[in-house]
Amino acid sequence: KIGWILVGASTVAREWMVDAIGQQGDAEVLAVVSRDAARGAAFAAQFGIAASYTDLDAALAHPGADAVYISTTNEWHMSQTLQAARAGKHVLCEKPLALNLEDARRMVDGCAEAGVVLGINHHLRNAATHGKVRELIRAGEIGQPLYCRVLHANNLPQHLRGWRLDAPESGGVTLDMFVHDVDTLRFLLDSEPRHVTACATSGGMTVAGLEEGLMAVIEFDNGTLVQVHDAYNAPHSLSGVEIIGSKGTIFATGVMTQRPVGSISLTRDGGSIDIPVEHENLYVRSVRAFQRAMRGEGQPAATGDDGMRALATALAAQQASRSHQRVTLAG
Ligand code: NDP
């Protein structure tokens, strides 16, 4: 069995990842790491995990540990990834990969030098819906993609209204949600973001200066113009992705979510049809791809490079909204 160490007694681990690892059949969570001994012990007890640690090095030395899943707050991702890599453990890290591109580069290089797999838990590219949309685009069903709209504004759940709203290193909605949109768009469009223009709001739910709502336009290398809307303070808003091509339009409704739900319609001359989707838990797929990569079978669903590109675009959007300038990404 693949032995996992959870770094961070976090909500995302609690709600999704303990189960996703458990569902693999050939994997086991051996220990959890928390800065708070009582929180770690309670987390371990809740999920029947044998050990909890407050010290990462001690956890990395746990017998049978092969991989770590890092879901601490963002400012810890870089140092903990490098620590795990140096101990020879494969790393599945949460997004945003890091707080800046220099740190992200160190993580990618550090894992490569240590010969361990680095994967980023950009869950949306694991959704059956997004996979199907990608297939339709690649099969030419809508011709050349021209425009795209991403609706990802929602209501930040009460239990997540902590560090996201007041810690500068959270990066607000830009490093929290927009970063996922960019990864999804790169996956769907098979193209790279080139220029970003953005406006943001803050100071209602977040502290002043930390973005809670973002509207951005991304110009992709293949010419597609993309409009993205993310928000923490938009209850009752719909989620979806619309891709308008030269021959047709795909509308994927309810797909910007952690849950395996949503539907797809394809509209062309002659009318609209519903596209069937076989849903599967996104996080189960993420862990499955990561474990295959550990065995030398392909890449994680999102690689360190994918994490870097999503981060670079999110930082560009942050810069664009703060400076009111269009920002061009490096090639
Ligand atoms: P949480 O706030 O739940 O957990 C982050 C850290 O906060 C934990 O590691 C824990 O520290 C500490 N913590 C947890 N509960 C408490 C508490 N009750 N009181 C005090 N401290 C607490 O964050 P999330 O799970 O929402 O996010 C963690 C990371 O995962 C982030 O990087 C985020 O961007 C990412 N994320 C990714 C998602 C995805 O779908 N890919 C979804 C949600 C988040 P300690 O470990 O020391 O116990």
Side-chain angles (χ1 to χ4, degrees), residues 7-14 16 33-36 39-40 69-74 77 94-96 121-123 160 163-164 175-176 180 258 283:
V7 184
S10 68
T11 307
V12 60
R14 185 186 305 278
W16 295 100
V33 183
S34 172
R35 288 160 298 178
D36 182 310
R39 187 162 61 237
Y69 166 61
I70 297 176
S71 64
T72 46
T73 44
N74 307 339
H77 295 177
E94 269 305 341
K95 46 48 68 170
N121 205 25
H122 279 300
H123 60 294
L160 297 184
W163 54 270
R164 281 177 175 78
L175 291 199
D176 193 24
H180 280 309
Q258 296 177 290
Y283 298 90

Side-chain angles (χ1 to χ4, degrees), residues 132-216:
K132 181 61 78 179
V133 171
R134 182 174 201 251
E135 259 176 58
L136 293 168
I137 296 171
R138 286 164 79 99
E141 298 285 354
I142 60 166
Q144 173 67 31
L146 301 173
Y147 306 103
C148 179
R149 285 193 269 254
V150 178
L151 308 176
H152 195 190
N154 55 33
N155 188 35
L156 186 67
Q158 201 63 44
H159 69 285
L160 297 184
R161 295 185 184 188
W163 54 270
R164 281 177 175 78
L165 304 182
D166 58 16
E169 58 274 19
S170 78
V173 80
T174 316
L175 291 199
D176 193 24
M177 295 173 70
F178 178 80
V179 79
H180 280 309
D181 306 332
V182 174
D183 183 66
T184 308
L185 288 160
R186 290 183 59 249
F187 174 72
L188 295 179
L189 297 172
D190 259 333
S191 182
E192 294 300 333
R194 185 57 48 213
H195 309 284
V196 187
T197 316
C199 292
T201 55
S202 75
M205 191 183 271
T206 53
V207 295
L210 193 57
E211 294 79 4
E212 64 195 8
L214 181 82
M215 285 191 164

Side-chain angles (χ1 to χ4, degrees), residues 28 46 52 54 99 106 116 122 126 141 165 190 201 226 230 233 260 264 272 277 281 295 312 315 317 325 327 329:
E28 184 181 9
Q46 182 183 351
S52 65
T54 54
L99 301 183
R106 289 174 67 194
V116 298
H122 279 300
N126 295 293
E141 298 285 354
L165 304 182
D190 259 333
T201 55
V226 181
D230 296 285
N233 56 351
I264 302 172
S272 291
V277 182
N281 184 308
R295 297 194 181 94
L315 292 171
Q325 301 278 331
V327 176
L329 285 133

